[in-house]
Amino acid sequence: MEQMDLEALALFVAVATHGGLNAASRETGVPRATMSRRIRQLETGLGALLLERGRGQMRVTEDGRLLFERAAPLMADLAAVADQLRARDGQVRGSLRISVPNLMARTGMGAIAASFVRKHPQIHLEIDIDDRFVDPVAEGYDLVIRANPAATSDLVGRRFLRSEILLAALPEMPIPSEQDAFVDAVILTATGSQTAWTVECGDRQLRVIPRETLRCSSMMLVYDAVLAGAGAALLPAWLIASDLRNGRLRAWGKVPGREIEAWVLHARSHLTSPKVRAFVETLVDVYRNHGSADQSVRVDPA
């Protein structure tokens, strides 16, 4: 059986991952012309068209998609083996590409990343900010960080943060004394329509009807809007802990049975590379040391 050119296969996986020859060339450092020539040789050897090339455009064919779906995990395993062999001298090396949501990006991720690259100077770390769901295999990420990810058999990882959800507002916004009172509210788009909020306030429950003043697609926008006086909102205790301590915000109550969990995830694989394990451990240790792995905040009734 004719041997497959693994280097050409790796270049094809890079092109399919990054969506084109130009992007793949930037990521790999291989000239575009060289990459195109090697992939054509791979197509000739396989007897199959992998990429349809047009005027300024490129599309992965059905055969190319089949090869990519089978080859990408195998190439990742090979890269992990190489990383493990190189790491035997105690140094973690290579490129590490991570996708994080806006919420995490604005709450200490820069400091965590700086600490990580100081500890592992032979790692080239790239962090992209994106609130949408990211498929790490299809989009070329080693790790993705997401809050309350949907259960999936394709991704594995570790939870590094768990926090209660609080109804909070500026201290000068009065807490209603009656049930089912209307209150100005900032709504997170992902939660959909909000007919009522019920929270535990000391030894009693408080039920309010949110009167939407603003709807935001980002938790950080919700948080900023609440601090600016747009109304009350449901916010993670972890996010507003310092604001509660210094009196910038006041918690009206806890949402029973509801939490936010942050996970660092990667594609399921036979092997996990040292660079991935190193970043996951760093992230878990930071939140454990800061007491944020299981964050709860005491709520005093008004």
Side-chain angles (χ1 to χ4, degrees), residues 288-302:
R288 182 190 298 120
N289 293 336
H290 288 179
S292 301
D294 194 351
Q295 181 81 45
S296 61
V297 174
R298 181 171 176 265
V299 178
D300 294 318

Side-chain angles (χ1 to χ4, degrees), residues 14 18-32 35 124 126:
H18 297 291
L21 289 166
N22 288 335
S25 178
R26 286 193 296 270
E27 289 292 329
T28 63
V30 177
R32 174 191 166 103
M35 189 171 291
H124 176 261
E126 177 184 349

Side-chain angles (χ1 to χ4, degrees), residues 4-14 16-17 42 46 50 63-79 137 269:
M4 184 179 293
D5 185 339
L6 289 182
E7 184 179 350
L9 180 60
L11 294 177
F12 165 71
V13 169
T17 296
L42 178 65
L46 293 174
L50 305 177
D63 286 340
R65 176 57 55 184
L66 175 63
L67 179 62
F68 173 74
E69 289 175 353
R70 298 294 297 272
L74 297 176
M75 299 306 293
D77 277 353
L78 288 174
V137 174
S269 175

Side-chain angles (χ1 to χ4, degrees), residues 166-184 197-202 204-209 211 231-233 244 249-254 298-302:
L166 306 177
L167 177 57
L170 293 179
E172 53 265 32
M173 186 172 177
I175 299 177
S177 57
E178 298 180 354
Q179 298 291 338
D180 294 329
F182 284 87
V183 297
D184 290 343
W197 286 335
T198 300
V199 296
E200 294 175 347
C201 187
R204 69 185 182 94
Q205 283 197 333
L206 173 67
R207 176 185 166 97
V208 298
I209 309 299
R211 181 171 50 230
L244 297 175
L249 292 176
R250 177 172 58 171
W252 291 11
K254 306 173 186 177
R298 181 171 176 265
V299 178
D300 294 318

